[in-house]
Amino acid sequence: MKPDTLPIHIVDDDASVREALLYLLQSLGYDAQTWPDGRSFLDGADIGKGGVVILDIRMPHLSGQELYQLLIEAKSTLAVIILTGHADVPMAVEMLKKGVVDFLQKPVALAQMDVALENALAQAERNLLCCRLRSLYASLSPREKQVTELVLQGKTNRMIADELYIAVRTVEVQRASAMQKMQVDNLPEFVRAVNQACMKP
Amino acid sequence: MKFSCRHFFRILLLLWLAAYSGMLSAKTWYVGILAPRGVQAAQQEWQPWLNWLSTQWENETFILVPMQLADAEQMIADKRVNFVLAPQAQFLSMKTGVEMRWLATLNRMDMAQPKAAELVGSAVWVRKDSGLQDIAQLRGKTIAAVQENAFGGFLLGYKLLYDAQLRENRDYSLVFTGYPIDQTLLLLDRKQVDAAIAPLCLMEEMQSRGVLDSAQFQLLHPVNNHSACAGSTELFPNWSLAALPDVPDSLATRLGSLLLQNQADVLLPGWSPVVASTRVEEILHSIYRHPFQQSVWAGIKNWVNEYKTWVGITLLLVALSFLNYAWVSWLAWRRQKQITQAYEQMRTYERMMMHADRLNILGEMASGIAHEVNQPVSVIRHYAEGTRYRLQKQQTHTELIPVLDKVIEQVERITQIIENLRKWAKSERNDQSVPVNIAQAVAKSVQFVRLQNDRHPMNIHINIPADLVLLTVPSVIEQVLVNSLLNCWQQQATQVDMSIRYFEEPFLGITIADNAGGFSQEQLEFPFVPFRTNKDQGLGLGLVICERLMRVIGGSLLLDNRSDGIAGAVVTLKLPLKKHSDPKGVKASS
């Protein structure tokens, strides 16, 4: 077992497929939770915690597409892999545009699944990070956000002070506070963190 | 002298005039005598008797007119003869329509040495070498006879054949030789015919003349008679003298009594009172040859002459009705052709529909099977690959790895097969978008459904603008419409309303609302589940296919129940509005 990995969810209405996929994932060194349909997944899983979902498309009650739509609306950080028996190109394009990590067709090969999982886990990590940074960014005061914005534009403390009609000292204090809140030590990290936080997931 | 001379001439003229007037009062009577053996023979035989007859009157002259049987009828009808001497039987079979007064019957028959045609009777002859023994054996043979109305030369023999159940044309064929009567036997002798109906005594006479050798011939159906001739029938010896209507009664009476009185002169023929002809009439009746029986055709002719106008009008009406019938028949034929043509067109359309339907069903089944098979194949692959991965990682039981590789190889093969099946299911489609007049497409589908199901009438009300044109795939629209309408029909709907529903741009819907109860809650929640059906023979693919077809052309199929209080379903074909360069183009404003 890879100790530091995020949780993996398998949502498929076919029990045999669920079990086999779990076996495959376990062979690859992952663990996963299985869900028979979208409804029970939404009710039972912690979708805010981050992780990867392997979704079937054709399922009763909620189709894979509808479930994914709900996840988007809930601003979930989960990375999604679609694994379907009846893939068609328009659907795949649409789903990829919406942000799924991979669109796989059953029966999927181990190697393919391995790559997809690695990508998805990385994506999930990014999502989580992004989510964390965004909440950090959200904790900045309006003045701190103003200063941060100008810092990102490459302006010096003096230029910012002039622009905002405040003292240079005040700018320095605000800037240090913001960097502390964003949990960074230097300017490059600060710029990257703020950029990631403002990006759409 | 001069005077006496003149007087003499005057007296001479008077005498001449007197003599001339005497000659004028004298009358010439023509006696037609049947001459079966030729003119000379007749003259030789009868001229003395006629000469004697002429001497019995001062002013009457009797002239011999030999008659052939063929001419006799006409000569009598034309009044070219005043008296007729012939076999009485013969004349009964003639259809002269002339009344005859039979005066006396000839009894001068030399029974010891009769001549042909003096005695009326038939002898049916065959060649000895033919082996024929009986009349009934003449079936399928050719038979010679004198003439159709010859009594001895045909009719009596004909009766024999008739009594033996042989019928002319059907059982035997006839050859009529006419006069001279010798022809009948000569044809037989020359093997041109199989049998001959000859007048009585002809054989004996020709034998005595040395023309034929009677030993070569065989008589069929021999009947004993009191003559020296061999015959096949009874005899009718009665030659009788008859007066035709233009002979005055006084002359006829006097001639009759004269003939009966004068029995003394041996050189002249002897006469006796007229013999009754009942037996002859009986025979003619039995073979349907009696003159009165044959008058039906003549009767019709007379009747037609009498009612010429009416017959003409009737014929005209018949002709008109025939023309009318022909005209009506032609119209019917043309109409039928049109209907057949329309029907053929419909059949072609139906075949196209069926073909498309079959392909769709096959495609849907292929894709359904592909999906269903995919699941277990996935499971196998996952287990095989997972196990292989574990074994390789742990380096245990590595000898199993090639086995698992084989399993995976086969799984890939299955995957490829499924992929091909799916590709095929998708490829069989012609998705050319063209401008489609929606009202026309709807009308075509409705007509098709109506023709399919005329048993259970379904009132279809269409409210669709006639100028609505969309750029889309006509075959898909028609197929979905037909399928939806057939669904309504199968659900026993009686009223269907078709109209246009306007969605937000860029969509437009064709709605089909029926009154057949509507969809169940389950059907509305899971609308397009394959292989689910409530029909005995349904595949459960109709709506699934329709939905897929609609998706293929960028639209969708919506199912709902009516909200206007009527229990019924509403199916909506939601179509994308594509711009079309035609100025009439898309017209979707309400």
Side-chain angles (χ1 to χ4, degrees), chain B residues 49-122:
Chain B
W49 177 68
L50 283 166
N51 291 345
W52 170 78
L53 214 54
S54 298
T55 61
Q56 299 302 308
W57 278 271
E58 281 176 15
N59 297 322
E60 318 292 340
T61 313
F62 293 85
I63 306 248
L64 172 65
V65 182
M67 296 191 297
Q68 301 293 320
L69 189 56
D71 317 327
E73 204 170 324
Q74 198 56 47
M75 289 174 86
I76 293 165
D78 291 351
K79 296 179 183 168
R80 274 150 61 190
V81 292
N82 309 105
F83 293 92
V84 173
L85 179 57
Q88 197 177 1
Q90 187 60 66
F91 276 84
L92 274 174
S93 67
M94 285 184 180
K95 299 166 289 261
T96 54
V98 176
E99 196 200 335
M100 294 200 185
R101 282 164 292 165
W102 296 100
L103 301 176
T105 296
L106 195 67
N107 57 8
R108 178 227 56 162
M109 283 304 153
D110 185 354
M111 290 300 176
Q113 245 188 349
K115 287 176 180 157
E118 280 183 354
L119 288 171
V120 176
S122 287

Side-chain angles (χ1 to χ4, degrees), chain B residues 486-502:
Chain B
L486 283 178
N487 265 342
C488 297
W489 181 79
Q490 281 158 352
Q491 299 297 328
Q492 310 286 318
T494 52
Q495 173 70 39
V496 173
D497 295 300
M498 300 183 74
S499 56
I500 290 294
R501 179 175 155 194
Y502 299 96

